[in-house]
Amino acid sequence: MTVKELAYVVYEVSDLAEWERFAVSLLGMQLGEKSADGLTLRTDEKAHRWILAEGPADDLVRSGYEVPSAAELDSLVARLRKAGVEAVEGGPDLAAARKVDRIVLVTDPLGNVLELVTGLADAETPFRSDLLLGEFVTGTGGAGHQVLLAKGVPRETYLAFYEGLLGFKLSDIIVEEVAPGIVADLAFLHCNPRHHSVAFGDMPHPKRTHHFMVEVSDIRDVGLAYDRCLDAKQPFEMTLGMHPNDHMFSFYVRTPSGFSVEYGWGGLLIDDETWEVRTLDQLHWWGHRAPEAVAEQLAGGAL
């Protein structure tokens, strides 16, 4: 009675053409399906991992989490309803649009709408990227991870939902004063060996989502994507660097909607038999600097 992976995300975006350029030509994703008011993106054999619908929000609107079987989804829905959480069947039309067997809608304590699904379909054709030397790392780890904004909701409240009801496990916590009087407080949760499929950060940010992470199997693809984004003058949020908790070597680039994509390699896998939850005091081992700060240092001759 637990979700097994973050299967897909749904964003409402204001500029579909710019998103297609960003995702396909810079990140190396594959265009899935395209319509007048939306498109889908692939990173593996699945029909889609990202769903983009045209609209003004420029933010996350749904998160799709896959459950292993129909029977386990029934049990999970019963547990949610017993706890007083409304769980609504999405119906055959939405299931068909999402290319899943079944879909149930619930809302988490932060107001995020989740789609609990079974049977996310494979695409009719093999995945192909014209840019990648390796491949995107998905498989048992799902599509990647996302970091969402806690918006002042206490940690114990959202952990009661994600741990107590959906079956996630806490990976670790990071609390760091990132600027005088500004503290970033993040909790990282996993539902498979990927270090985290979702994390929640209590920190200033205008969106529901801070970033989505895609991982590649070849470290060279991180450098190549970094260069493509530089050449295209795509705004960066953070330079190359590494995290102390999931050991991801990555950079952060801003999407056309203003939130970011973390593009990484080498993420840590968790063995629940031996893993110990820790509280760390730094978000980054090294790097991951704001480009503005680097430019200021360069201009001042500090580097």
Side-chain angles (χ1 to χ4, degrees):
M1 293 186 294
T2 180
V3 301
K4 69 171 187 173
E5 67 178 58
L6 175 57
Y8 59 83
V9 282
V10 184
Y11 298 112
E12 187 177 288
V13 307
S14 59
D15 192 333
L16 287 168
E18 186 62 15
W19 259 97
E20 182 179 347
R21 179 198 68 85
F22 171 75
V24 177
S25 299
L26 300 185
L27 303 188
M29 296 182 179
Q30 181 181 356
L31 181 65
E33 296 182 348
K34 190 174 180 180
S35 66
D37 58 359
L39 61 88
T40 64
L41 297 164
R42 295 177 56 193
T43 59
D44 61 6
E45 77 284 354
K46 293 299 180 182
H48 49 238
R49 291 296 193 176
W50 291 32
I51 301 170
L52 307 182
E54 189 172 34
D58 275 319
D59 207 347
L60 176 74
V61 292
R62 300 280 179 90
S63 299
Y65 290 98
E66 188 160 7
V67 179
S69 69
E72 287 171 281
L73 181 54
D74 286 336
S75 297
L76 179 55
V77 167
R79 183 164 66 190
L80 287 162
R81 289 174 175 166
K82 185 177 180 180
V85 177
E86 185 177 15
V88 180
E89 293 287 342
D93 290 343
L94 183 58
R98 298 291 194 255
K99 300 188 184 299
V100 298
D101 293 335
R102 182 181 166 200
I103 184 167
V104 175
L105 306 179
V106 300
T107 302
D108 75 5
L110 296 86
N112 298 302
V113 179
L114 313 185
E115 299 183 351
L116 304 177
V117 304
T118 58
L120 177 59
D122 288 344
E124 295 180 355
T125 58
F127 173 76
R128 177 184 174 184
S129 171
D130 293 330
L131 300 178
L132 294 187
L133 299 176
E135 59 189 6
F136 288 107
V137 178
T138 55
T140 58
H145 77 233
Q146 60 180 345
V147 174
L148 308 181
L149 278 298
K151 303 294 186 184
V153 175
R155 182 186 298 148
E156 56 269 21
T157 300
Y158 62 75
L159 287 184
F161 179 85
Y162 279 88
E163 281 191 298
L165 297 178
L166 297 188
F168 281 79
K169 296 179 180 180
L170 184 64
S171 303
D172 43 47
I173 293 168
I174 299 180
V175 181
E176 180 185 1
E177 187 174 16
V178 294
I182 300 178
V183 175
D185 186 336
L186 294 98
F188 301 81
L189 305 171
H190 66 277
C191 58
N192 53 56
R194 190 186 291 279
H195 177 273
H196 57 283
S197 291
V198 66
F200 299 95
D202 198 355
M203 53 190 177
H205 197 274
K207 306 284 185 179
R208 286 187 173 275
T209 181
H210 178 270
H211 73 265
F212 191 99
M213 187 282 306
V214 291
E215 185 177 0
V216 289
S217 63
D218 192 319
I219 192 173
R220 294 174 295 175
D221 280 318
V222 176
L224 289 168
Y226 192 78
D227 279 355
R228 288 193 297 270
C229 291
L230 275 174
D231 292 342
K233 296 181 173 56
Q234 191 72 25
F236 286 88
E237 181 180 4
M238 288 183 246
T239 61
L240 290 164
M242 184 175 283
H243 293 295
N245 60 340
D246 68 353
H247 298 185
M248 191 71 72
F249 167 66
S250 63
F251 67 90
Y252 289 69
V253 62
R254 295 198 188 278
T255 70
S257 292
F259 58 88
S260 294
V261 167
E262 180 184 7
Y263 202 95
W265 170 88
L268 186 69
L269 299 178
I270 284 181
D271 179 355
D272 281 318
E273 296 297 321
T274 59
W275 186 255
E276 295 182 4
V277 177
R278 301 177 298 158
T279 297
L280 298 87
D281 61 2
Q282 61 181 135
L283 291 165
H284 315 288
W285 253 336
W286 61 269
H288 285 159
R289 299 189 180 198
E292 299 83 2
V294 174
E296 184 177 341
Q297 288 178 303
L298 287 169
L303 294 177

